[in-house]
Amino acid sequence: MSMRNDVAEILYSEEQIAAIVQNIGRRISEDYKDKNLFMISVLKGSLIFMADLMRAIDVPCAIDFLSVSSYGSGTSTSGAVRILKDLDSSMEGKDLLVVEDILDSGMTLSFLMKNLSARKPNSIRLCTLLDKPERRKVEIYPDYVGAVVPDKFIVGYGLDYAEKYRNLPYIGVLKPEIYSV
Ligand code: IMP
Ligand code: MG
């Protein structure tokens, strides 16, 4: 049975996502012309976005990955955030761009931005593919947003439910009956 049967509605097609990513890439290329761009991908959700976005950027950049615990297999945040895999090098003097899949309650990113700011970077900005502002619990304002999405559970293009659906090439809404059993 195809994963596609679990998707209630497609929000962004492959073509629409590509246009969104190109647009953000152009803006970042402009903003980071004479900077020391260091892109940080928050695993695992931002994997696919990161891979596409860095190829839409035409200024030099370095990358690294970090992983935090936020959700288990449920659909809402627990509050506690822990770094599971940290960055490999010092962030001092670098122009950090944190790349995230979706900004929901904001708890994960708020913790992360504070943690990274303490490492003395030259600057730090946040880029999120999707923003779900209705669910925000803390004040956090992303610098680059791909698209604003409604308060529904989103999967595909890196976003998962219980580690599934990351490989869907589009972004869609998961049928509620899949997670409300
Ligand atoms: P926050 O701390 O509540 O902002 O949670 C952010 C993280 O929760 C994201 O990086 C995602 O991994 C996950 N998340 C939040 N909403 C969704 C969703 O609709 N679909 C899939 N994952 C989500
Ligand atoms: Mg994530």
Side-chain angles (χ1 to χ4, degrees):
M1 176 113 133
S2 169
M3 295 181 292
R4 294 174 187 242
N5 293 322
D6 298 345
V7 175
E9 176 195 354
I10 296 177
L11 292 181
Y12 295 97
S13 67
E14 288 186 66
E15 293 73 23
Q16 288 171 315
I17 297 169
I20 288 169
V21 172
Q22 286 304 317
N23 182 44
I24 300 180
R26 263 194 303 274
R27 289 175 51 206
I28 293 172
S29 303
E30 190 59 38
D31 295 350
Y32 285 83
K33 256 181 195 150
D34 302 304
K35 303 241 175 177
N36 186 13
L37 175 58
F38 192 92
M39 298 172 72
I40 298 174
S41 162
V42 185
L43 294 172
K44 305 171 211 167
S46 72
L47 162 77
I48 297 175
F49 177 42
M50 177 76 166
D52 285 344
L53 181 62
M54 63 185 288
R55 286 176 290 178
I57 290 173
D58 68 3
V59 297
C61 78
I63 64 167
D64 202 354
F65 303 87
L66 68 70
S67 163
V68 292
S69 67
S70 47
Y71 290 17
S73 57
T75 58
S76 68
T77 202
S78 60
V81 182
R82 212 156 44 89
I83 293 184
L84 300 178
K85 183 230 170 284
D86 208 343
L87 301 166
D88 293 338
S89 59
S90 160
M91 295 296 110
E92 222 167 309
K94 294 176 180 171
D95 293 297
L96 307 187
L97 182 65
V98 176
V99 178
E100 179 60 300
D101 54 353
I102 186 167
L103 191 53
D104 188 37
S105 74
M107 312 265 280
T108 311
L109 265 300
S110 153
F111 162 84
L112 209 54
M113 297 302 276
K114 276 194 201 101
N115 182 292
L116 294 172
S117 299
R119 304 187 198 192
K120 306 206 170 28
N122 184 52
S123 69
I124 178 164
R125 283 186 171 185
L126 172 59
C127 172
T128 187
L129 175 63
L130 303 177
D131 188 7
K132 216 194 259 181
E134 282 173 60
R135 301 242 311 171
R136 205 59 41 82
K137 288 200 188 107
V138 294
E139 280 204 31
I140 180 161
Y141 303 98
D143 300 282
Y144 306 93
V145 176
V148 174
V149 292
D151 183 11
K152 292 179 174 168
F153 202 79
I154 314 288
V155 292
Y157 195 73
L159 289 103
D160 74 308
Y161 171 66
E163 297 300 326
K164 215 176 143 185
Y165 309 107
R166 294 194 198 274
N167 56 325
L168 275 176
Y170 49 74
I171 294 168
V173 175
L174 188 63
K175 287 183 181 168
E177 63 258 37
I178 304 294
Y179 56 83
S180 58
V181 279

